[in-house]
Amino acid sequence: MTAEAGAPALVRAAAPEVDLFAEEFAADPFPVFARLRDTAPVHHDPATGLWLVSRDEDVRRVLLDTVTYRNDNTLRSVVPLRLPALRIMDRVGFKTLPPALFNNSGDSHPALRAIVLRLLSAQQVRLATPRIERITAEELDVMAADLRTTGRHDLARGAARTVPVRVMLDLLGLTGLARVDVHTVADWTDAFITLFWGRTEKDRQRELAHQVAAFYTWLCELAEIRDAPEDSLLAALARQRTPDGGPLSREVAVAVCSNLLVAGHVTTTQMITTAAHRALESRVHWPELAGDPTAAGRWLEEILRREPSLTAWRRVTSRETRLGGIDLPAGAELLLMLSSAGNDPEAHPAPERLCPMRDAGHRHLGFGLGRHRCPGAELARVEGRVFLSACADRFPGLRPASPEPPPFLRLVSFRAPARLDVADPHPHREGHHETR
């Protein structure tokens, strides 16, 4: 039975039309989420072949049942890539990423995850907090200079982007080994998510494929380093053994590094950018964040509920099952709509309201749930709290540079402002002290 055939005609007819790549959907997906939850909580999307799962209860059920719902499909391209793009990546040996962290339901997953959990543990993040604060201050210096010289700064491609990349390279012990600048790494990871989670034209696919190929080549070079620091990710991967006792392949080491750099940069940057956008938009919440990491943390939790940067994630059924009243065949590809779950009134009363004091607290799916919950959740939270409280403290008069809403990324699993131009009417205000 195909996925198309498995969708009852009555449910499909009642469901709204969904274009996951549409500009209108990216700008305001919440009405579509509501109609899906009400009319077709498990809805087949013929354009992508994905089953859209929109209710909080169903999404949680899938995330917690790792036997029926596997994560083997999470890193496949949503839209089939064209032959020219595939050839570009094939020339550097990149065909697909083997099972590592985010696409691994096999026996090797626990050991690989354990490496990451040790590197990004709560204790390690606490020890790294002074470095995170220093990196943030340095990037806010750059932002201050930008505001003085040009009158504006694009947070999405500026400070909110460079801080997570620098922090991730630092915590993984790659800073001295990177041999490329931070903006290049950020460009590569942005290209990666655009190619695999976007819908792009042939010429654009070729451009992205060249960047992804360069990213993959760089990762392969890193994986070949034999004198990496003992506390680095590369050294930990070199020490790791497979279930049969052999060393990890270069391809698996590359996949782990890729997973962490993409997730560590992309989702954290987008979380910070969205949180800053909504706080500045309200004109009320921005001053409340100034110098107060606790207030910034509460604001982040609400943003992670309402507008998580990882808006949706994929699973594939290992057997026939029933979900949300719909019979699904084995091999059905699901899109778990985490953002819709966070706006489900059955789980979150008055979900349209941004309420930092909401009783639900951390009870959202912004970092997933269960066995595959994001291992970098604590790091992302600390980065967000440090950045927002420091930025609001240093730039209390910051405001959107334009009354027009910013454009949003049009990707299946990621959503955030693609640009966030901000201005400061008082760039020389006392208290804006540079650290370098």
Side-chain angles (χ1 to χ4, degrees):
M1 179 172 61
T2 65
E4 180 83 23
L10 179 60
V11 173
R12 292 219 315 267
E17 291 187 9
V18 182
D19 183 349
L20 297 171
F21 302 100
E23 184 176 352
E24 296 80 7
F25 180 73
D28 183 13
F30 305 107
V32 174
F33 291 158
R35 292 198 299 274
L36 283 171
R37 290 192 303 267
D38 289 344
T39 63
V42 179
H43 167 64
H44 185 257
D45 173 37
T48 60
L50 297 169
W51 291 83
L52 313 183
V53 183
S54 53
R55 287 183 184 168
D56 181 88
E57 179 182 4
D58 294 330
V59 172
R60 289 175 186 274
R61 174 183 166 187
V62 171
L63 289 173
L64 291 173
D65 183 353
T66 58
V67 174
T68 305
Y69 305 98
R70 298 166 65 94
N71 70 341
D72 303 330
N73 64 331
T74 54
L75 299 184
R76 297 175 192 162
S77 59
V78 175
V79 175
L81 300 182
R82 296 171 182 264
L83 191 58
L86 293 172
R87 285 174 173 163
I88 290 167
M89 294 186 291
D90 186 61
R91 283 200 290 268
V92 299
F94 180 29
K95 299 181 185 297
T96 185
L97 289 174
L101 296 174
F102 308 141
N103 61 337
N104 189 353
S105 58
D107 295 340
S108 64
H109 175 262
L112 293 174
R113 182 176 172 85
I115 293 174
V116 177
L117 289 174
R118 285 193 296 270
L119 289 172
L120 303 181
S121 68
Q123 179 182 6
Q124 292 301 319
V125 172
R126 281 195 300 273
L127 292 173
T129 298
R131 305 204 306 270
I132 296 171
E133 292 170 342
R134 173 182 56 78
I135 289 170
T136 299
E138 290 173 356
E139 293 305 322
L140 291 182
D141 286 348
V142 176
M143 177 175 168
D146 212 9
L147 288 168
R148 284 196 303 271
T149 56
T150 69
R152 62 175 58 200
H153 179 79
D154 179 3
L155 265 178
R157 295 188 62 81
R161 185 181 194 234
T162 51
V163 167
V165 180
R166 288 185 61 187
V167 168
M168 183 56 67
L169 290 173
D170 184 75
L171 260 67
L172 298 181
L174 301 177
T175 299
L177 308 172
R179 302 173 187 165
V180 293
D181 63 60
V182 169
H183 292 284
T184 297
V185 176
D187 287 343
W188 284 341
T189 54
D190 282 342
F192 188 95
I193 67 165
T194 304
L195 184 63
F196 287 96
W197 282 274
R199 183 174 63 193
T200 52
E201 298 299 325
K202 181 172 64 175
D203 290 345
R204 179 61 174 150
Q205 272 197 13
R206 280 199 293 261
E207 294 173 9
L208 294 167
H210 280 297
Q211 289 185 286
V212 170
F215 182 40
Y216 183 79
T217 300
W218 174 69
L219 290 171
C220 289
E221 293 170 354
L222 284 180
E224 295 295 336
I225 294 175
R226 292 293 173 261
D227 56 350
E230 282 298 304
D231 59 351
S232 69
L233 172 65
L234 296 178
L237 292 172
R239 292 190 296 267
Q240 185 61 36
R241 290 296 177 263
T242 61
D244 62 6
L248 291 182
S249 68
R250 184 187 72 170
E251 289 73 23
V252 170
V254 165
V256 172
C257 292
S258 170
N259 288 179
L260 291 176
L261 287 171
V262 170
H265 154 229
V266 168
T267 56
T268 306
T269 291
Q270 293 175 359
M271 176 190 72
I272 291 171
T273 303
T274 302
H277 166 50
R278 294 308 181 194
L280 291 167
E281 182 183 55
S282 74
R283 299 295 180 96
V284 173
H285 292 292
W286 186 250
E288 296 174 348
L289 307 180
D292 189 345
T294 300
R298 289 195 297 265
W299 182 250
L300 280 172
E301 298 306 324
E302 265 296 81
I303 294 299
L304 285 165
R305 174 195 64 81
R306 172 74 170 167
E307 296 183 89
S309 49
L310 189 67
T311 59
W313 209 229
R314 280 177 284 172
R315 288 294 185 267
V316 59
T317 56
S318 63
R319 58 195 179 196
E320 291 185 3
T321 188
R322 188 170 178 81
L323 180 68
I326 300 297
D327 291 323
L328 297 172
E333 304 241 4
L334 311 183
L335 184 69
L336 308 182
M337 307 186 83
L338 307 178
S339 186
S340 177
N343 287 275
D344 187 340
E346 294 296 319
H348 306 280
E352 71 284 352
R353 290 180 55 237
L354 284 173
C355 179
M357 301 303 292
R358 186 178 291 271
D359 290 339
H362 292 192
R363 193 185 177 279
H364 57 69
L365 298 174
F367 293 116
L369 183 69
R371 181 187 181 198
H372 295 288
R373 183 178 181 274
C374 175
E378 184 57 26
L379 174 62
R381 284 185 164 114
V382 170
E383 287 183 80
R385 291 197 297 264
V386 167
F387 186 95
L388 289 174
S389 60
C391 190
D393 187 49
R394 185 157 179 181
F395 306 106
L398 205 66
R399 56 178 173 77
S402 168
E404 296 298 317
F408 275 74
L409 295 171
R410 293 157 61 183
L411 306 176
V412 162
S413 290
F414 302 90
R415 179 178 180 271
R419 290 188 60 87
L420 186 59
D421 289 319
V422 294
D424 187 346
H426 306 290
H428 301 287
R429 184 192 305 273
E430 185 179 352
H432 290 195
H433 302 297
E434 296 197 4
T435 60
R436 66 178 183 184

